[in-house]
Amino acid sequence: MRTIQFREAVCEAMSEEMRRDEAVYLMGEEVAEYNGAYKASKGMLDEFGPKRVIDTPIAEAGFAGIGVGSTMTGTRPIIEFMTFNFSLVGIDQIINNAAKIRQMSGGQFNCPIVFRGPTASAGQLAATHSQAFESWYANCPGLKVIVPSNPYDAKGLLKSAIRDDDPVIFMESEQMYGDKAEVPEEEYTIPIGVADIKRAGDDVTIVSFGKIIKEAYKAAETLAEEGISCEVIDLRTVRPLDYDTVIKSVKKTNRLVILEEAWPFGNVSTEITYQVQEQAFDYLDAPIQKINTADTPAPYSPVLLKEFLPNSEDVVKAVKKVLYK
């Protein structure tokens, strides 16, 4: 099987769906002439032309609104934000229009649109360019939220997102665009809302998603050397969230650690904690541990940023805590 980069997987997914359906188009800042800010749309302008790969001004509210409105004429837009930090400028279009069109029109209109781009921290980009908004968007009924952690999942899930008849928030990472993995050349999709057990284990369940899951993998390797068997679950989709896979794993391991790159108040890990104690309380042999960023804006200083972000050492400590070691 060939090995390709995350950015190439994203580009392939969009291109394949645009060949399959002429209603699909891509719009955003620098997606056309520049081949994408992160080269995730390289070559697409040449293949599909300027009517289907559209450069925009720096006006997120404008082009997000154009995309939402165009769905009511039969199109299926992909709207790229250079970073989801910039989506806040267009969040009214996402929350008040895209997420609500189906219900407020009494089912007369759906809104098949994908908003995609990088989320969370990407190095020293300071407080206003390092924020994770997964839980913000997942809080809104009417939206689906996908956060893949590798090229294979990214391609399969993005193809499913583009085909979906509801608005989908598809969150990537600037620090993953160069990641490489095996991706089939043949057609495939991955269903939205299905988590994946990336590593089987018996002693403790670790749940994560997005690029921060790499720290869970590192921790699992370290703990394995000490004879501790970790089951690592990649949520892949945070709305709808695959509670069944998490609950089934917790009933087997009896312990749960959740790793999420987000502020600690009211996030995805908080929701999982509630659902597990509600549905599997009698199976827990220790309190659930959740690991998040520091409860501050992201710092610019590399020393402070290292302290701000969760890491594999934090995961190791949390696992040992639930194991009473």
Side-chain angles (χ1 to χ4, degrees):
M1 193 183 300
R2 81 233 167 101
T3 298
I4 64 173
Q5 292 183 330
F6 193 106
R7 59 168 58 87
E8 293 173 307
V10 169
C11 186
E12 282 191 2
M14 294 191 294
S15 297
E16 288 175 13
E17 292 307 302
M18 287 176 71
R19 294 181 199 119
R20 176 179 173 271
D21 185 348
E22 291 186 356
V24 180
Y25 70 90
L26 172 65
M27 180 164 61
E29 294 152 348
E30 298 187 348
V31 300
E33 296 288 347
Y34 191 65
N35 286 310
Y38 312 104
K39 300 300 180 275
S41 55
K42 186 177 181 179
M44 291 181 65
L45 175 63
D46 292 338
E47 179 174 356
F48 300 105
K51 289 187 177 181
R52 296 186 67 196
V53 181
I54 306 166
D55 276 332
T56 68
I58 303 174
E60 287 79 10
F63 64 79
I66 290 169
V68 173
S70 76
T71 65
M72 288 182 275
T73 70
T75 66
R76 308 181 75 88
I78 305 165
I79 304 299
E80 178 179 317
F81 294 119
M82 196 177 294
T83 161
F84 261 93
N85 294 279
F86 301 163
S87 76
L88 298 189
V89 181
I91 199 169
D92 177 62
Q93 295 294 339
I94 300 171
I95 300 296
N96 282 329
N97 292 324
K100 298 175 174 62
I101 283 174
R102 185 191 290 272
Q103 185 192 53
M104 293 181 69
S105 69
Q108 294 178 83
F109 297 104
N110 55 17
C111 189
I113 188 171
V114 176
F115 297 97
R116 51 158 293 270
T119 184
S121 64
Q124 288 179 262
L125 297 181
T128 60
H129 290 67
S130 305
Q131 302 167 111
F133 295 114
E134 294 90 325
S135 61
W136 287 36
Y137 286 112
N139 183 256
C140 180
L143 299 177
K144 297 177 181 178
V145 182
I146 298 172
V147 194
S149 66
N150 60 79
Y152 176 85
D153 288 350
K155 182 175 180 181
L157 285 164
L158 183 52
K159 288 172 70 70
S160 294
I162 295 168
R163 297 181 190 185
D164 200 282
D165 286 334
D166 291 314
V168 179
I169 308 295
F170 193 91
M171 295 175 148
E172 303 155 13
S173 168
E174 290 157 83
Q175 293 182 325
M176 289 198 303
Y177 284 120
D179 288 1
K180 294 181 178 180
E182 291 185 342
V183 177
E185 292 189 47
E186 62 270 17
E187 169 82 8
Y188 75 97
T189 60
I190 296 173
I192 296 171
V194 179
D196 189 28
I197 299 174
K198 300 295 190 185
R199 181 186 181 114
D202 298 310
D203 295 329
V204 60
T205 299
I206 304 174
V207 173
S208 190
F209 59 91
K211 78 172 190 292
I212 201 69
I213 199 172
K214 295 177 184 179
E215 299 300 317
Y217 297 149
K218 292 177 188 176
E221 289 290 336
T222 299
L223 291 161
E225 295 173 1
E226 301 179 32
I228 298 171
S229 174
C230 299
E231 182 144 293
V232 182
I233 297 176
D234 186 346
L235 291 178
R236 302 195 294 196
T237 303
V238 299
R239 185 171 184 132
L241 200 150
D242 185 0
Y243 295 113
D244 290 343
T245 295
V246 176
I247 297 297
K248 184 178 179 180
S249 178
V250 170
K251 286 182 177 180
K252 178 177 72 169
T253 67
N254 310 116
R255 296 170 175 85
L256 175 61
V257 171
I258 311 166
L259 171 64
E260 178 187 7
E261 186 180 345
W263 293 310
F265 185 89
N267 51 35
V268 175
S269 53
T270 303
E271 172 63 15
I272 295 171
T273 300
Y274 170 77
Q275 292 293 340
V276 171
Q277 68 82 31
E278 172 70 13
Q279 300 182 49
F281 180 80
D282 291 338
Y283 290 86
L284 289 170
D285 286 343
I288 298 166
Q289 295 294 309
K290 70 187 191 81
I291 306 165
N292 299 116
T293 67
D295 196 16
T296 67
Y300 176 78
S301 159
V303 176
L304 294 177
L305 184 62
K306 184 178 179 181
E307 293 300 314
F308 172 83
L309 291 169
N311 58 44
S312 60
E313 294 178 4
D314 298 325
V315 180
V316 169
K317 290 177 184 177
V319 167
K320 290 185 175 181
K321 185 172 184 179
V322 299
L323 289 167
Y324 300 107
K325 290 182 178 287

